[in-house]
Amino acid sequence: MNPIAAVWALLGLALKQAEDGSWERIGVGRVYYLGGLKAEGQAIFDRVLAGEHDDGDVYRIARVYREAGEKEKAGAMFERYLAGNPNDARALSEVGAYTLLDGNHEAAERLFDRSFAAEHDDMWATLQAAGAYLGVAPQL
């Protein structure tokens, strides 16, 4: 089987296997999107967000956009998530880390302050902030 046919067959099967699971469908959409088949990936994201979904789905899609280098698109989705989840320490820290890596130190430190105010003992949130100061992106 040629590689292109294999990709389409495997992604089609993965989407079928994902059934109604939003995390799973976002995972399939991620491979489409990052693999250069953005329209197909975006269509999956749009279907997930059009149906019943939770805020975590918005966050996971924002991460895909960030991974794709689409910082503005990711930022809008992260803001949407944080508006509904203002005390999610890890998310605040992760978004703060991206903000710092993008060169906006003042905004990043505000996000870190919010993160630590929400939960001062979350090692992962602390690690994301520390890593960003060293140029290390959060681990997905």
Side-chain angles (χ1 to χ4, degrees):
M1 176 178 279
N2 85 39
I4 301 298
V7 165
W8 286 105
L10 290 167
L11 287 173
L13 177 59
L15 191 56
K16 202 177 216 183
Q17 291 168 331
E19 297 176 353
D20 290 331
S22 63
W23 280 36
E24 293 84 352
R25 289 184 291 144
I26 292 168
V28 175
R30 176 184 173 273
V31 172
Y32 274 113
Y33 203 87
L34 297 176
L37 303 167
K38 285 188 175 185
E40 291 82 354
Q42 187 64 55
I44 292 170
F45 299 155
D46 292 345
R47 282 193 302 274
V48 167
L49 295 177
E52 188 174 319
H53 65 280
D54 64 37
D55 290 343
D57 295 330
V58 171
Y59 196 79
R60 282 181 280 286
I61 293 169
R63 282 177 155 175
V64 174
Y65 294 148
R66 179 69 195 197
E67 196 174 359
E70 298 177 15
K71 296 174 186 177
E72 294 79 21
K73 201 170 185 179
M77 295 292 282
F78 282 133
E79 285 179 25
R80 178 176 165 185
Y81 175 82
L82 290 176
N85 299 276
N87 295 316
D88 184 333
R90 288 188 192 177
L92 287 162
S93 180
E94 182 176 344
V95 174
Y98 294 136
T99 303
L100 183 63
L101 292 168
D102 291 342
N104 190 338
H105 295 262
E106 188 176 308
E109 292 194 359
R110 283 194 305 271
L111 287 161
F112 293 151
D113 287 346
R114 286 177 55 198
S115 172
F116 299 138
E119 176 59 57
H120 67 278
D121 277 340
D122 188 311
M123 187 275 303
W124 292 108
T126 304
L127 190 60
Q128 290 173 147
Y133 283 107
L134 294 172
V136 177
Q139 183 177 11
L140 299 179

